[in-house]
Amino acid sequence: RENITGADKSSPPRDPVAVSVSDTEQLTRVARAFWVGAAGDVKLGLFNGTSIVLPNAAAGVWHGVEGIVQVYDTGTEATYRHRVHVAKA
């Protein structure tokens, strides 16, 4: 995975890609933001080995979370989960 050290955190997310939610597969690169197509809970795995659930993440906006390495299926209730996008650090 790409190193997130030194990323310009004041700039908007770049290079967004759609990802599949998975309880076993991690992302191929570390991300610093996510977007969902419809509101709902989103569970994320982080670079430091922890996970968090963001309750009722709003639809249609970027949510900044440093060090995203996984978007879990279990614990992610946001609809249109196929439209979960992550953005490069």
Side-chain angles (χ1 to χ4, degrees):
R1 283 182 283 221
E2 295 179 38
N3 189 339
I4 61 172
T5 304
D8 180 5
K9 295 169 189 66
S10 63
S11 64
R14 66 178 192 223
D15 300 332
V17 294
V19 299
S20 298
V21 295
S22 173
D23 290 335
T24 57
E25 298 295 319
Q26 291 193 338
L27 305 176
T28 57
R29 63 184 185 187
V30 176
R32 68 179 179 105
F34 74 94
W35 179 95
V36 293
D41 297 352
V42 177
K43 182 177 180 183
L44 303 172
L46 303 178
F47 190 76
N48 66 5
T50 63
S51 63
I52 59 169
V53 175
L54 297 160
N56 200 30
V61 296
W62 284 101
H63 300 274
V65 178
E66 193 68 37
I68 301 168
V69 296
Q70 188 167 0
V71 182
Y72 288 91
D73 185 27
T74 303
T76 297
E77 302 302 328
T79 56
Y80 301 113
R81 289 184 290 169
H82 63 284
R83 294 185 64 193
V84 173
H85 296 264
V86 294
K88 186 175 178 179

